[in-house]
Amino acid sequence: MLEVTVCGVKLKNPVIAASGTYGFGEEFRSFYNPSELGGISCKGLTINKKEGNEGIRIYETKSGLLNSIGLQNPGVEHFITHELENMKKLSTAIIANMGGGTLEDYVRGAELLSGADIQMLELNISCPNVKQGGMAFGIKEEVAYEVVRQVKGVCKKPLIVKLSPNAENIVAMSERCCAAGADGLSLVNTFNAMAIDITKRKPVFNNVTAGLSGPAIKPIALRMVYEVVKNVDVPVIGMGGITTWQDAVEFIMAGATAVQVGTANFMNPYACIDIIEGIKSFMERERIKSLEEIRGCIL
Ligand SMILES: Cc1cc2nc3c(=O)[nH]c(=O)nc-3n(C[C@H](O)[C@H](O)[C@H](O)COP(=O)(O)O)c2cc1C
C-alpha cells in the first residue's frame, strides 16, 4: 500500500530520513527500528574525513533551525568499511549522500561509493567549490551541469542530485541536472540565512551565514518541488520543513515520489514513524490503494 519506487529502487514506504539529521541510523535505534523507514540518506560524506566547523553549529529560530555543521563526517572509505557494514543489517534503502570541494573529489567519491553496497547515491551540490571562489556548485546551472555529468560518467548506482534552493533558477537548474544525467532529483537543501548575537554585536556563526531548515521553509520548498516536477521526467524526492503526515501528503500531491524528513527528527525522534503511520491511516480513510493515485494530483 505504502510502497513506492524511486529510480527502480523499491521503498517500503515513501519516508526517508534526510541527510545530516539521522547520522547513520545508530542514534535512533533506541527509539525504534530504523528498518521501518523507506530509506536513510546518510550524513553527507566527503573523500577525506572532516571535523566540521568551529564555533556555534546549530541555532534555533522561530519555526526553524540554522546549521553550520561544516560536513563533519568520517570520510567515504571509513563509511564503506565501518558505518555501512552496520547500516546494511537494516532492511531499508541506503542512500549515500556525498559532497565535495572540487570536481575531482566528487568523481573519486562517486567511484568509491558506486562499488559499495548502497541503493542510491545522492549528490549534494550545495557544497562550496573551493577552486571557484567558494560559490556552491548548485548555484549556477553550468557549474552544476559539469559536476553531475562527470559523476554520472563513473556512477553505477541510481544518481539522485540534491538541489539547493539557493540556485539562481530552480527550474532551469533541475532541467540542466537532468540533461547531465541525473536519474532523480531531491529538493530542497537548506536556505542561506543568518542570525546576529546582539549582545556580542557579532554574527552567531563564524561563517556569518548558515543553512535554514524546518517548518519555516516548508511552503517555499513545496512550491519549488511543484515547479520542478512540472518540468522534469525523473522522480523527485521532496523535502523541506516536513514535520507531519499532512505535510508529507502535500509534497506527494505536488508530485513528489517520496519525501525526506530532516529537522523534525530533532523535534520528535519518532517523527518519521508518526508520518508513516499518519499517511497509512489517511490512505485507509480515503480508500487510497496506492500513493500513485494521489501523486501529483494538483498538477
Ligand atoms: C543539522 C543538519 C545537517 C545537515 N547535513 C546535510 C548533509 O550533510 N548533506 C545534505 O545534503 N543535507 C544536509 N542537511 C539538509 C537536510 O538534509 C535537508 O535537506 C534540509 O534540512 C531541509 O529539510 P528539513 O527542513 O526537513 O530539515 C542538513 C540539515 C541539518 C538541519
Side-chain angles (χ1 to χ4, degrees), residues 124-202:
N124 173 10
I125 57 171
S126 297
C127 306
N129 183 345
V130 292
K131 288 195 184 154
Q132 286 190 1
M135 183 195 276
F137 286 89
I139 306 291
K140 294 204 175 282
E141 289 123 43
E142 288 320 305
V143 180
Y145 177 88
E146 198 45 31
V147 68
V148 175
R149 189 186 68 79
Q150 292 205 21
V151 165
K152 178 66 184 176
V154 299
C155 186
K156 297 181 195 75
K157 305 281 177 179
L159 177 64
I160 310 287
V161 177
K162 182 167 179 180
L163 303 183
S164 165
N166 307 312
E168 284 179 341
N169 177 331
I170 196 78
V171 172
M173 176 60 82
S174 65
E175 289 169 343
R176 286 308 280 156
C177 288
C178 290
D183 298 304
L185 299 172
S186 61
L187 67 153
V188 295
N189 212 315
T190 54
F191 286 74
N192 265 345
M194 67 184 283
I196 293 172
D197 182 330
I198 57 166
T199 54
K200 291 189 185 147
R201 303 184 187 190
K202 280 167 78 176

Side-chain angles (χ1 to χ4, degrees), residues 16 19 24 40-45 76 79-80 84 87 93-99 109-110 112-114 116-124 155 157-160 162 260:
I16 301 166
S19 178
F24 301 101
I40 300 174
S41 176
C42 73
K43 174 63 198 167
L45 302 163
V76 168
F79 166 76
I80 293 171
L84 182 58
M87 289 185 89
I94 298 169
I95 304 171
N97 179 288
M98 192 194 70
L112 291 173
L113 288 165
S114 264
D117 199 359
I118 56 163
Q119 275 67 58
M120 297 185 234
L121 179 66
E122 183 175 53
L123 195 69
N124 173 10
C155 186
K157 305 281 177 179
L159 177 64
I160 310 287
K162 182 167 179 180
Q260 291 190 14

Side-chain angles (χ1 to χ4, degrees), residues 18-21 43-44 58 65 67 69 71 97 124 162 188-190 213-214 217 239-242 261-263 266:
S19 178
T21 65
K43 174 63 198 167
I58 294 268
L65 187 71
N67 91 80
I69 306 291
L71 278 185
N97 179 288
N124 173 10
K162 182 167 179 180
V188 295
N189 212 315
T190 54
S213 61
I217 70 169
M239 80 193 92
I242 296 176
V261 176
T263 303
F266 300 142

Side-chain angles (χ1 to χ4, degrees), residues 5-298:
T5 304
V6 181
C7 304
V9 177
K10 278 207 168 81
L11 309 183
K12 62 177 72 149
N13 62 64
V15 179
I16 301 166
S19 178
T21 65
Y22 206 81
F24 301 101
E26 270 311 304
E27 291 82 355
F28 284 80
R29 281 177 196 258
S30 56
F31 297 104
Y32 60 87
N33 183 348
S35 296
E36 302 286 313
L37 303 181
I40 300 174
S41 176
C42 73
K43 174 63 198 167
L45 302 163
T46 49
I47 274 288
N48 298 314
K49 171 185 168 144
K50 285 187 102 177
E51 299 294 348
N53 292 336
E54 299 279 325
I56 290 183
R57 292 176 166 203
I58 294 268
Y59 183 82
E60 239 182 280
T61 66
K62 286 186 188 123
S63 325
L65 187 71
L66 286 167
N67 91 80
S68 174
I69 306 291
L71 278 185
Q72 179 187 5
N73 80 93
V76 168
E77 279 172 284
H78 192 279
F79 166 76
I80 293 171
T81 50
H82 293 83
E83 289 80 9
L84 182 58
E85 286 306 306
N86 274 331
M87 289 185 89
K88 272 165 36 183
K89 293 179 196 144
L90 301 168
S91 88
T92 187
I94 298 169
I95 304 171
N97 179 288
M98 192 194 70
T102 62
L103 269 174
E104 296 74 34
D105 285 355
Y106 272 109
V107 171
R108 183 77 194 113
E111 273 171 348
L112 291 173
L113 288 165
S114 264
D117 199 359
I118 56 163
Q119 275 67 58
M120 297 185 234
L121 179 66
E122 183 175 53
L123 195 69
N124 173 10
I125 57 171
S126 297
C127 306
N129 183 345
V130 292
K131 288 195 184 154
Q132 286 190 1
M135 183 195 276
F137 286 89
I139 306 291
K140 294 204 175 282
E141 289 123 43
E142 288 320 305
V143 180
Y145 177 88
E146 198 45 31
V147 68
V148 175
R149 189 186 68 79
Q150 292 205 21
V151 165
K152 178 66 184 176
V154 299
C155 186
K156 297 181 195 75
K157 305 281 177 179
L159 177 64
I160 310 287
V161 177
K162 182 167 179 180
L163 303 183
S164 165
N166 307 312
E168 284 179 341
N169 177 331
I170 196 78
V171 172
M173 176 60 82
S174 65
E175 289 169 343
R176 286 308 280 156
C177 288
C178 290
D183 298 304
L185 299 172
S186 61
L187 67 153
V188 295
N189 212 315
T190 54
F191 286 74
N192 265 345
M194 67 184 283
I196 293 172
D197 182 330
I198 57 166
T199 54
K200 291 189 185 147
R201 303 184 187 190
K202 280 167 78 176
V204 166
F205 294 99
N206 287 3
N207 286 343
V208 183
T209 59
L212 181 67
S213 61
I217 70 169
K218 198 208 88 182
I220 319 177
L222 184 65
R223 186 266 296 169
M224 289 183 163
V225 166
Y226 164 77
E227 288 181 349
V228 165
V229 167
K230 282 200 296 184
N231 287 283
V232 298
D233 293 327
V234 300
V236 169
I237 302 174
M239 80 193 92
I242 296 176
T243 57
T244 64
W245 66 264
Q246 289 95 331
D247 294 337
V249 169
E250 279 191 76
F251 275 81
I252 293 167
M253 288 186 171
T257 302
V259 295
Q260 291 190 14
V261 176
T263 303
N265 292 307
F266 300 142
M267 298 152 69
N268 165 18
Y270 296 97
C272 288
I273 296 298
D274 292 350
I275 291 169
I276 295 166
E277 282 169 6
I279 299 174
K280 188 161 179 268
S281 308
F282 172 70
M283 290 174 75
E284 283 163 358
R285 278 197 306 280
E286 301 275 323
R287 298 186 203 286
I288 299 165
K289 291 198 179 60
S290 155
L291 286 170
E292 282 304 301
E293 289 173 38
I294 55 165
R295 183 163 68 80
C297 67
I298 62 119

